[in-house]
Amino acid sequence: MIDIGMRMLSPRELFNAQGFPPDYVIEGAWEGLDSDEPTFRPFSKDVQISCCGNSVCPPVAAAIIAANCPHLAASRPEQEAHDAV
């Protein structure tokens, strides 16, 4: 058998390729936020990968909304500064 030297992408690499920001939390979820002792439930690598596979690329979603519902688009301060120039 010949190893072709390929590897699977990590969950973080997959989310980055989809266009999610680097600080987007994919490692787990907080549970019990309405209690005095919330706990963090980590997601397995398989769950993180499946979440990425079921996601919608944020840049694509933003482009669809901007094209179809410009009145619903939220303006960002950096975009307002760019538009003012």
Side-chain angles (χ1 to χ4, degrees):
M1 180 172 262
I2 298 172
D3 184 7
I4 58 175
M6 294 181 72
R7 68 172 181 84
M8 298 294 291
L9 296 175
S10 71
R12 176 58 59 194
E13 291 170 325
L14 292 169
F15 276 90
N16 290 347
Q18 284 275 79
F20 284 85
D23 59 346
Y24 190 78
V25 177
I26 64 170
E27 294 82 13
W30 285 97
E31 295 179 338
L33 292 176
D34 55 348
S35 71
D36 291 336
E37 295 184 27
T39 57
F40 187 76
R41 182 174 55 93
F43 294 153
S44 68
K45 187 175 179 180
D46 291 345
V47 169
Q48 292 176 38
I49 290 170
S50 70
C51 288
C52 185
N54 292 329
S55 69
V56 176
C57 300
V60 172
I64 291 170
I65 292 168
N68 292 299
C69 307
H71 61 287
L72 296 177
S75 182
R76 298 186 310 237
E78 64 269 10
Q79 184 64 37
E80 291 174 1
H82 179 269
D83 293 344
V85 174

